[in-house]
Amino acid sequence: AIQMTQSPSSLSASVGDRVTISCRTSQGISNELGWYQQKPGKAPKLLIYAASILQSGVPSRFSGSGSGTHFTLTISSLQPEDFATYYCLQDHNFPRTFGQGTKLEIK
Amino acid sequence: EVQLVESGGGLVQPGGSLRLSCAASGFTFGSYEMNWVRQAPGKGLEWIAYISPTGQTIHHADSVKGRFSISRDNARSSLYLQMNSLRVEDTAVYYCARDNSLVQDYTNYNWFDPWGQGTLVTVSS
């Protein structure tokens, strides 16, 4: 199974900050990776697929990049509604595997 | 509106069985791959099962292989997860998620959207 290493596991930031979350995979997966946002008590929500394609309706302050084994999710200017937990998910093969999650908290 | 609604969760004793359902609406269910994903209390997301549109191709995570079984009824627009030999560590919120795909430059991309609201399964004596 492809191992996913997401970092940091938690992050404190302020409204207006630029933040970057990293996801590394144990083997190359081209750009077959997505990013999801989850708020407490809610189902995850798709933000980005194919490493860099923004899902319809997701604000443009979210962006994704990377290919191979290293991927990043960037939020250009944090808004209050962005404080949540973020997960990466590889769709290169089965079993599908998620990163451990990054909890983004208000500083 | 595209919607997925899970049901069937509850409290069950270790070694018991439970069958989860996911009712789909607002899209042609039989045209889509589907998945089950779970989340133990306070923990991260874990993918556990996949099924192709016809049900011909199925994958399960090692953690549930031989105990859980994914299936679907396209005529009823419904996805199922039969869970047998349940363990305390299977306690989690279980989500169904539609699998979307795109082929670009000979690469097949997949992503999960939408997700259901989840149903809680508690395994305890």
Side-chain angles (χ1 to χ4, degrees):
Chain A
I2 296 174
Q3 306 302 314
M4 311 288 283
T5 303
Q6 196 174 330
S7 62
S9 56
S10 64
L11 175 59
S12 293
S14 301
V15 172
D17 284 354
R18 177 185 180 91
V19 300
T20 298
I21 298 169
S22 170
C23 184
R24 292 185 182 270
T25 60
S26 60
Q27 66 185 73
I29 62 167
S30 181
N31 51 343
E32 295 166 272
L33 182 125
W35 290 97
Y36 297 80
Q37 176 194 67
Q38 187 180 33
K39 296 182 178 179
K42 299 295 186 182
K45 172 189 170 185
L46 173 72
L47 298 175
I48 285 168
Y49 60 96
S52 62
I53 300 177
L54 194 67
Q55 169 69 346
S56 175
V58 174
S60 59
R61 62 181 180 272
F62 290 92
S63 64
S65 64
S67 182
T69 61
H70 187 211
F71 303 85
T72 59
L73 172 70
T74 299
I75 310 173
S76 60
S77 179
L78 274 173
Q79 298 302 301
E81 60 268 29
D82 300 338
F83 292 94
T85 301
Y86 294 84
Y87 295 92
C88 55
L89 168 65
Q90 66 82 14
D91 59 277
H92 179 71
N93 64 11
F94 290 97
R96 303 286 195 232
T97 42
F98 287 91
Q100 306 94 315
T102 295
K103 187 173 184 179
L104 182 51
E105 298 173 306
I106 301 173
K107 185 183 287 184
Chain B
E1 181 194 2
V2 175
Q3 195 171 15
L4 298 170
V5 178
E6 300 95 337
S7 61
L11 175 64
V12 61
Q13 291 189 334
S17 297
L18 213 53
R19 187 197 198 203
L20 305 184
S21 298
C22 170
S25 59
F27 65 99
T28 305
F29 178 74
S31 297
Y32 286 86
E33 302 154 282
M34 297 293 296
N35 295 270
W36 286 100
V37 175
R38 69 182 179 183
Q39 185 170 38
K43 302 297 185 183
L45 300 169
E46 178 188 16
W47 169 86
I48 57 171
Y50 159 93
I51 188 167
S52 64
T54 63
Q56 189 166 9
T57 300
I58 286 173
H59 296 281
H60 294 95
D62 285 347
S63 59
V64 305
K65 201 169 290 184
R67 301 186 300 121
F68 291 12
S69 180
I70 188 172
S71 64
R72 65 191 298 160
D73 184 338
N74 289 343
R76 297 178 182 271
S77 295
S78 292
L79 177 72
Y80 305 103
L81 186 68
Q82 177 66 43
M83 304 187 296
N84 299 327
S85 303
L86 281 160
R87 304 168 180 168
V88 171
E89 55 265 34
D90 294 319
T91 294
V93 174
Y94 285 73
Y95 297 100
C96 60
R98 190 180 73 177
D99 196 316
N100 305 267
S101 63
L102 166 70
V103 178
Q104 192 175 70
D105 298 331
Y106 305 106
T107 300
N108 188 47
Y109 300 101
N110 293 80
W111 60 95
F112 295 176
D113 180 68
W115 298 58
Q117 86 288 352
T119 187
L120 175 63
V121 173
T122 303
V123 185
S124 174
S125 54

